[in-house]
Amino acid sequence: MKKLLGLFMALAIAMPASAELLRNFELTGDVQVIASDVRHNASGEFTTGTNMRVLAGGSFDVAENVRANLMFQYLNQWGSGPTIEGVTPGTIGKSANDYLDQIRLVEANVEMKELFGWLDMKVGRQFYGDEDSTVMYIGPRYYNSELNGATNYNYATSIDAVKLAYANDFVNANVIMGELEIYNSAGAGVPPISATGNKHYMYGLDAKFRLSDPLSFQLYGYNIKDVGEDYNGFYGGKLTFAPEAFLVSAEYARNHEGNRLIKESHDNPYLLKLDAKLNMDAFTPRAAFVYSKDFAAPFGNYRPGLLMGDWAPTEIILAYGRIYNVGLDYNWEKWNFALDGYAFQDRTAQHSASLEADLVVKYDYNDNIQLFAGAGYIKYNSNDSNTFDAADNTKGQVGVLVRL
């Protein structure tokens, strides 16, 4: 895969930059800046300050039904957080080489459409999955992606892979095989599965079936191998019923170890997630419930709450076992208001829940620029009070998202 990426880059640099080569060129990426402040941070779990992430690249046709994609990533921060890329927060002025050393290549792939007349293929470094997925998303995160210690969730992750896709009116299916690295502030891998290595070999299948106009079903399964370990992974399904303005969905996923995909233990970790919402034009009430029995989702993108969703990735959030959420969205012209309440409780309900309330406001300045702000308050239970060394906490943030 590295040789393939190298060949792609060499061709991109060697070929003349002509109008014929860069036909149908599109600028891709975005710039996200978030400034936040947390009242209590004695445990050092939160980051107070301003962070910026730049994703910039391009997409262009290289032949009929063949398109190339290239994107780079840059990240920096100011304030009271950890040292990023060896630069202390608040440092002003660096050499050009310092900036270049912080740039990461997050997309370098070639897409081929209608291969054999019915198959699409993408080869190279790429993003993968649905951004709202609880179990599988590899790509940039938005709105509450704080920097935090060595993990730096604001980094957009990508996978070096071959992805095959097939779609018709009934099914939309993807098969992926590849290798993943997640970067921390020093550019080294941060393994979400174990601490034995920084590379993860993954293959999997995701298929969405349209059973009828309001009814759809998603089926998925992934195997992931960390360095020096057996294959581990998960499989599951999601049923969605969406007649007109109403939507309800139920998702069940289960971990498996080694090659025991079928003859697995009855004690294997599992996840149940229920969602419902009603779109009443301006108002959209919604609710969600998550029950997790030690389910491991190292590549999920479920991070509820401005405070709880700040300091921990999906796998840590799901360790609470029971998560309740009720919310209300209100849309008015260019404004969107989202009010949410959360309860985070251990699976056996032996302890009281930590309770969080958030208000997030977004304003669409135009089609490309969005301003957003949020405020959150949490009342910790006795166990979380010890973790965060505080009885409660508050957070405020403002930001801007510019889509290129």
Side-chain angles (χ1 to χ4, degrees), residues 178-217:
E179 179 183 283
L180 177 74
E181 282 195 59
I182 296 181
Y183 292 101
N184 67 4
S185 61
V190 178
I193 300 176
S194 76
T196 59
N198 59 6
K199 295 183 184 298
H200 311 281
Y201 307 101
M202 184 184 84
Y203 64 88
L205 166 70
D206 185 300
K208 299 180 178 71
F209 302 91
R210 183 181 178 184
L211 304 180
S212 64
D213 284 340
L215 188 64
S216 62
F217 179 68

Side-chain angles (χ1 to χ4, degrees), residues 7 59 73 75 94 105 107 158 162 197 220 228-229 244 253 308 320 325-326 335 376 380 398:
L7 178 61
S59 175
Q73 174 175 230
L75 180 69
K94 295 182 293 183
L105 178 66
E107 268 200 309
S158 53
V162 176
Y220 53 80
E229 293 193 352
E244 297 182 354
M308 279 296 188
Y320 278 94
N325 169 224
V326 291
W335 295 87
Y380 294 123
V398 294

Side-chain angles (χ1 to χ4, degrees), residues 58-94:
S59 175
F60 53 92
D61 292 336
V62 294
E64 184 179 359
N65 290 331
V66 180
R67 193 162 182 84
N69 303 286
L70 191 67
M71 183 178 291
F72 295 91
Q73 174 175 230
Y74 170 78
L75 180 69
N76 205 347
Q77 76 161 28
W78 307 268
S80 62
T83 297
I84 301 299
E85 306 287 359
V87 179
T88 302
T91 299
I92 299 176
K94 295 182 293 183

Side-chain angles (χ1 to χ4, degrees), residues 23-247:
R23 59 183 182 272
N24 297 324
F25 177 84
E26 294 181 6
L27 183 66
T28 59
D30 55 62
V31 179
Q32 177 179 252
V33 181
I34 300 178
S36 64
D37 182 72
V38 178
R39 180 163 54 99
H40 295 303
N41 194 24
S43 61
E45 298 287 355
F46 298 97
T47 299
T48 296
T50 302
N51 68 72
M52 175 187 69
R53 183 189 65 207
V54 179
L55 295 171
S59 175
F60 53 92
D61 292 336
V62 294
E64 184 179 359
N65 290 331
V66 180
R67 193 162 182 84
N69 303 286
L70 191 67
M71 183 178 291
F72 295 91
Q73 174 175 230
Y74 170 78
L75 180 69
N76 205 347
Q77 76 161 28
W78 307 268
S80 62
T83 297
I84 301 299
E85 306 287 359
V87 179
T88 302
T91 299
I92 299 176
K94 295 182 293 183
S95 69
N97 286 335
D98 289 332
Y99 286 104
L100 291 175
D101 288 342
Q102 297 176 51
I103 295 175
R104 300 283 181 262
L105 178 66
V106 291
E107 268 200 309
N109 61 73
V110 175
E111 291 182 273
M112 287 169 275
K113 301 289 187 180
E114 299 182 5
L115 187 64
F116 310 120
W118 55 276
L119 191 67
D120 294 343
M121 181 170 70
K122 181 183 285 189
V123 181
R125 183 161 295 182
Q126 57 192 275
F127 301 140
Y128 177 75
D130 298 325
E131 188 178 344
D132 61 350
S133 174
T134 307
V135 296
M136 176 54 68
Y137 174 67
I138 300 171
R141 295 165 171 82
Y142 295 93
Y143 302 118
N144 195 23
S145 298
E146 291 291 342
L147 302 176
N148 185 334
T151 47
N152 295 342
Y153 306 125
N154 211 352
Y155 264 108
T157 55
S158 53
I159 183 170
D160 298 336
V162 176
K163 187 184 77 171
L164 304 176
Y166 172 77
N168 58 27
D169 293 338
F170 174 67
V171 64
N172 187 335
N174 294 290
V175 176
I176 189 167
M177 298 162 286
E179 179 183 283
L180 177 74
E181 282 195 59
I182 296 181
Y183 292 101
N184 67 4
S185 61
V190 178
I193 300 176
S194 76
T196 59
N198 59 6
K199 295 183 184 298
H200 311 281
Y201 307 101
M202 184 184 84
Y203 64 88
L205 166 70
D206 185 300
K208 299 180 178 71
F209 302 91
R210 183 181 178 184
L211 304 180
S212 64
D213 284 340
L215 188 64
S216 62
F217 179 68
Q218 180 183 9
L219 182 68
Y220 53 80
Y222 294 93
N223 250 357
I224 305 162
K225 178 176 170 48
D226 197 8
V227 175
E229 293 193 352
D230 294 330
Y231 275 99
N232 295 275
F234 57 88
Y235 60 93
K238 182 178 182 180
L239 185 66
T240 302
F241 182 62
E244 297 182 354
F246 182 68
L247 183 146

